[in-house]
Amino acid sequence: MFRILDCMRYCKLLCGTNLHVMSNLVVRQLHGEPQRHRSLVLIKGKEAAEFLQGLITNDINHLQYGAKSMYTMLLNIQGRVLFDTIVYRRDEKNFMVECDNDKLNQLVRHLRMYRVRRKIDIECIDNDYHIWCVFDPHLNFKDITHVNLESLYMNPRAESEVLLQVSGEVDDVIVTRDPRMKYLGHRLIVPSKTSVTEILPSIQHSEGGFKMLRYRLGVGEGMVELPSTKCLPLEANCDYLHGVSFHKGCYIGQELTARTFHTGVVRKRYMPLIFSRDVSDLPFDASIINEKGKTVGKVRGSKGEHGIGLLRIDECLDAKVLMVNDVPVHTFKPAWWPYEASKERKN
């Protein structure tokens, strides 16, 4: 069963906080939310791992060596993002690739274009499985700790360790920590014939809470926030989110990504936005203006008083005033960014 102590231990590890227990009830309850805008593509065959290795920014060997899931991106030859994905390992010959519903057919065409003569099958399984996330909507941001940049690439298996306990013996369910960061909770791949309440009876259902959590953390996702061919992987914090390997062999779009990492400075990144009022109706790509009237960023998504934007790091952090359509907005460097992120600011 999904016991109270299991929930406490999970929340403590997830948030770094002590939970108060009253009458054997946990005050802070975990929320579960279906990711209806995300679907899955199945890639199966003895050459599936080798095939993916040549297309994705991350190292497929992380999954071969024990990690259950992996964040990664697929790029075009110019090094710009086509798809942001999470890859799940079913077994050594079967992998699931998650992407936006609206880009599912495009992803399948992209994969089949590079299949050539490899002995693999590529098929949509969006009707066979549901994707869920389980998270703490009341994350204490004061307890988020910095990490060293090198540690992001050291132990991806530990990042995907399962802390969440499920009830019953349910076949074909994948439970893994969100591979991007532990503060995003867990992700579950559940067969469509199975109700999530069968495996997580104590979870409170949520709608829209996970997007709000992502915005507060400054994590972009999907074709709207990471528009195809308009975004670079390092600008989208792919390196900070365990999504790129700089030690594997070649892949499509590698040259620009590797050159930027080793010799350049990433001057723009996705960062959280806090507005002075509800701006849910804010148009996509609205300009962020500083006190000098200069555009220093673009809005990539908003919900309530929170949002996410692609910002010029130095100029936004140094600005005295930031405005979007006459609405004051504030930004900050996320606490989960690694120590080395500070080198991007001029001393």
Side-chain angles (χ1 to χ4, degrees):
M1 292 293 293
F2 185 70
R3 302 180 298 272
I4 294 294
L5 289 178
D6 293 326
C7 189
M8 288 176 60
R9 183 170 67 252
Y10 168 71
C11 287
K12 186 174 181 180
L13 288 168
L14 179 67
C15 309
T17 58
N18 293 320
L19 302 180
H20 300 286
V21 180
M22 182 179 298
S23 301
N24 294 325
L25 294 177
V26 179
V27 175
R28 287 168 57 180
Q29 187 177 29
L30 297 179
H31 286 211
E33 186 173 305
Q35 301 298 285
R36 298 186 181 92
H37 63 292
R38 305 284 280 183
S39 294
L40 293 165
V41 174
L42 176 65
I43 303 175
K44 58 182 180 180
K46 63 180 182 180
E47 297 180 277
E50 179 186 355
F51 168 68
L52 284 172
Q53 185 76 319
L55 296 177
I56 61 177
T57 57
N58 216 333
D59 190 346
I60 198 67
N61 288 318
H62 295 330
L63 300 183
Q64 301 290 65
Y65 295 152
K68 286 193 171 185
S69 63
M70 180 178 68
Y71 180 57
T72 188
M73 292 181 172
L74 285 84
L75 314 179
N76 62 14
I77 58 176
Q78 289 80 30
R80 296 187 174 274
V81 177
L82 291 177
F83 311 93
D84 66 300
T85 71
I86 295 177
V87 180
Y88 304 90
R89 180 181 183 270
R90 294 182 66 184
D91 54 53
E92 62 182 14
K93 296 181 181 180
N94 292 270
F95 301 88
M96 294 176 170
V97 181
E98 175 188 326
C99 76
D100 272 10
N101 292 342
D102 293 339
K103 298 191 73 175
L104 186 63
N105 293 331
Q106 184 180 343
L107 174 59
V108 170
R109 288 196 300 270
H110 179 79
L111 294 171
R112 287 175 177 170
M113 180 175 65
Y114 288 99
R115 178 175 55 184
V116 195
R117 294 185 176 85
R118 289 187 176 88
K119 298 178 180 180
I120 58 174
D121 292 320
I122 301 169
E123 59 183 281
C124 299
I125 52 173
D126 51 315
N127 294 324
D128 299 332
Y129 293 89
H130 295 153
I131 302 167
W132 282 75
C133 58
V134 177
F135 60 99
D136 178 6
H138 306 295
L139 178 67
N140 189 340
F141 282 68
K142 293 182 180 179
D143 293 315
I144 295 178
T145 56
H146 288 282
V147 298
N148 183 280
L149 184 60
E150 290 299 320
S151 70
L152 294 178
Y153 317 109
M154 294 302 292
N155 193 5
R157 179 176 181 178
E159 283 297 318
S160 70
E161 284 180 348
V162 176
L163 303 176
L164 189 65
Q165 300 295 319
V166 298
S167 64
E169 295 294 332
V170 183
D171 294 331
D172 209 19
V173 174
I174 296 177
V175 182
T176 177
R177 281 208 335 206
D178 193 302
R180 292 169 290 188
M181 70 167 78
K182 62 182 179 180
Y183 307 111
L184 289 173
H186 283 72
R187 294 184 87 82
L188 284 72
I189 306 299
V190 183
S192 55
K193 62 183 179 181
T194 302
S195 171
V196 74
T197 56
E198 296 178 32
I199 55 179
L200 295 173
S202 300
I203 290 298
Q204 179 175 331
H205 286 241
S206 170
E207 290 291 343
F210 187 67
K211 176 183 281 190
M212 183 69 75
L213 176 63
R214 285 198 297 101
Y215 285 176
R216 294 173 65 201
L217 287 165
V219 178
E221 178 183 283
M223 63 179 297
V224 174
E225 297 164 14
L226 308 177
S228 182
T229 72
K230 305 294 183 182
C231 176
L232 295 172
L234 302 191
E235 291 180 347
N237 297 316
C238 189
D239 51 339
Y240 293 172
L241 293 170
H242 306 87
V244 58
S245 170
F246 297 102
H247 307 292
K248 60 175 276 188
C250 296
Y251 58 89
I252 295 174
Q254 179 212 21
E255 184 177 355
L256 176 61
T257 306
R259 185 169 68 246
T260 301
F261 177 77
H262 290 296
T263 66
V265 175
V266 183
R267 302 190 184 279
K268 295 188 295 182
R269 283 188 181 270
Y270 276 64
M271 298 173 67
L273 299 173
I274 302 177
F275 299 93
S276 62
R277 62 171 177 82
D278 188 317
V279 291
S280 297
D281 58 347
L282 193 68
F284 171 79
D285 218 25
S287 296
I288 301 171
I289 310 295
N290 66 8
E291 70 276 8
K292 299 178 182 178
K294 180 180 179 181
T295 298
V296 294
K298 295 284 187 179
V299 175
R300 288 293 187 244
S302 61
K303 181 178 177 64
E305 297 180 355
H306 293 272
I308 190 171
L310 177 59
L311 311 178
R312 294 186 178 275
I313 304 170
D314 287 347
E315 295 178 47
C316 286
L317 294 180
D318 292 337
K320 296 178 181 178
V321 177
L322 292 174
M323 302 286 291
V324 179
N325 287 11
D326 297 325
V327 178
V329 62
H330 170 69
T331 189
F332 55 93
K333 185 171 68 175
W336 55 269
W337 280 14
Y339 292 123
E340 281 75 2
S342 61
K343 71 184 181 181
E344 294 173 356
R345 299 212 64 206
K346 300 174 182 177
N347 296 322

